[in-house]
Amino acid sequence: MIPAARTAPARTVPVRTVPVRTAPTRPAPAPGGLRTGTGRAPCHHGELLQGVFLDGAGRRCAGLVTLPMPGPAGRARFRPRPGTAPDDLTVVPEGRTKAARAAVLAVAECARRSGRAACGGELRLTGGVPVGLGMGSSTSDVIAAVRAVADGYGLRLPPDAVARLAVRAELASDPLMLDGRPVLFAQREGRVLEVLGPALPPLVVVGCALGGGSPVDTLSLPARPPAEAGADEVRAFERLRALLRRAVATGDVRLLGEVATASARIGQRVLAHPEFDDLTDVARRVGAAGVQIAHSGSVAGLLFDPAAPGLRHRVRSCVRALDAHGIPATRTFTTTEEIPHGPAHRGGGRPAGPGTARRPARLPAL
């Protein structure tokens, strides 16, 4: 009898499970080819120059130059509801009527451009800055809403189209839909009067809040049609425009500060901030290049040349002096930081301006 062959027990080979990495997917398209869209738009820190200017045809029109501020941005998410009426729009948080109006206008524009049906949906707004401070909160909401709707329709609207929709939605718009270059912008018409140069000179801004930071009701401010501006007044603003153009071309922070201070002083005729003299006195004592004040809010800033000697000491002295006058400092920032547009609206890199090779001093966290 031949004994049965002995078989070795089977070896168990451990199997390594390798996780498969997949790219994040966008939400599935809704009927009609629409998706949930997102949009983003920056805010700003008030104006460097604001007044009445002449356009290329010699016509008087209101115009402004804003001070860019890296960081805070308004964000919007548009979730379409195909089959609903275009004006059937839910807005979160409630009360953002300008952004809601912009979304409805954007739906009509995007439906016309894409050939898809217009519909309502939900618009959800987050981020940004508090309203009423003159930092472009409403325009940021409006532009983010327009971009979110366009993204939902698979489109990217050109800046001039966004500007037209923004003006229709809120009557006057800041140039936050543009690429960051300093422009003289006709805020009631949504068009660029002049590109002043590739970029502002680098600035360090010590922000502060006037009037205790209370919001300003822009609609309550007295408004005068540009056509009623006197010839001397227009000549004064055109002179400031020419000086600002030179400051941008030469990288002259001191000249830019003089223009901003002169514009703020003219704005005092309407805004009448009681702290204005204290603000300009602090700027003089700490060696700031000048001051800038939002034309429709309470935010203000003291402007410094980042290449100035003893910058850290100047900034700290500035904050202490503001505090001594009861003017709360808010944030210190530099204008040379990049302002991102978001993945759906990323433009080219911001062009370098005069003097951008100078590295700003590292600032204390304030």
Side-chain angles (χ1 to χ4, degrees):
M1 183 175 181
I2 300 174
R6 301 179 65 183
T7 58
R11 294 180 60 191
T12 301
V13 179
V15 179
R16 293 182 61 193
T17 302
V18 179
V20 179
R21 295 184 177 181
T22 58
T25 58
R26 298 190 60 184
L34 303 183
R35 299 177 182 270
T36 296
T38 60
R40 184 184 189 280
C43 300
H44 63 77
H45 201 266
E47 286 70 38
L48 292 170
L49 176 61
Q50 191 258 340
V52 178
F53 305 89
L54 300 177
D55 66 7
R59 186 174 63 89
R60 296 174 183 179
C61 55
L64 51 77
V65 180
T66 56
L67 176 62
M69 179 182 63
R75 294 176 173 81
R77 179 178 293 271
F78 174 69
R79 188 183 302 276
R81 289 195 287 258
T84 60
D87 59 353
D88 183 8
L89 187 76
T90 303
V91 184
V92 182
E94 295 180 353
R96 304 290 181 91
T97 56
K98 294 177 181 179
R101 192 179 306 125
V104 173
L105 293 171
V107 164
E109 177 72 13
C110 293
R112 182 184 66 80
R113 288 175 178 252
S114 67
R116 297 189 175 105
C119 68
E122 180 192 75
L123 178 68
R124 187 173 293 270
L125 302 166
T126 57
V129 294
V131 299
L133 301 182
M135 301 173 74
S137 60
S138 62
T139 296
S140 181
D141 280 351
V142 162
I143 295 173
V146 170
R147 287 175 168 171
V149 170
D151 192 40
Y153 274 81
L155 300 175
R156 179 178 177 181
L157 296 178
D160 60 337
V162 177
R164 288 194 300 271
L165 293 173
V167 170
R168 290 177 62 190
E170 57 173 345
L171 302 182
S173 171
D174 297 312
L176 300 177
M177 73 293 296
L178 302 177
D179 59 4
R181 289 179 297 172
V183 298
L184 179 62
F185 187 74
Q187 69 269 27
R188 298 182 184 277
E189 302 174 27
R191 63 188 179 102
V192 175
L193 299 177
E194 180 184 355
V195 178
L196 298 168
L200 289 174
L203 297 170
V204 172
V205 183
V206 177
C208 59
L210 306 180
S214 299
V216 173
D217 181 6
T218 306
L219 298 179
S220 68
L221 297 175
R224 185 171 50 134
E228 294 183 6
D232 291 342
E233 185 178 358
V234 174
R235 276 194 294 269
F237 282 122
E238 283 294 327
R239 178 177 176 273
L240 292 177
R241 172 185 185 174
L243 292 175
L244 183 56
R245 185 190 304 126
R246 186 198 306 170
V248 172
T250 60
D252 191 333
V253 175
R254 180 64 57 179
L255 181 58
L256 183 148
E258 292 174 3
V259 171
T261 303
S263 179
R265 194 178 301 279
I266 295 172
Q268 271 294 98
R269 300 170 187 172
V270 175
L271 297 173
H273 289 295
E275 307 100 326
F276 181 77
D277 289 340
D278 291 336
L279 192 69
T280 54
D281 179 64
V282 169
R284 179 185 56 79
R285 288 191 285 115
V286 300
V291 302
Q292 58 87 211
I293 297 178
H295 78 280
S296 61
S298 57
V299 71
L302 290 90
L303 311 176
F304 291 86
D305 186 340
L311 177 64
R312 182 187 294 270
H313 174 72
R314 293 173 190 264
V315 168
R316 290 191 182 279
S317 297
C318 177
V319 173
R320 287 195 295 267
L322 290 173
D323 182 66
H325 285 288
I327 304 174
T330 52
R331 58 177 293 170
T332 297
F333 64 95
T334 65
T335 58
T336 52
E337 297 175 42
E338 183 67 16
I339 304 177
H341 290 182
H345 309 284
R346 183 178 291 113
R350 185 178 177 185
T356 51
R358 297 177 299 176
R359 296 181 61 86
R362 185 175 297 277
L363 298 173
L366 299 173

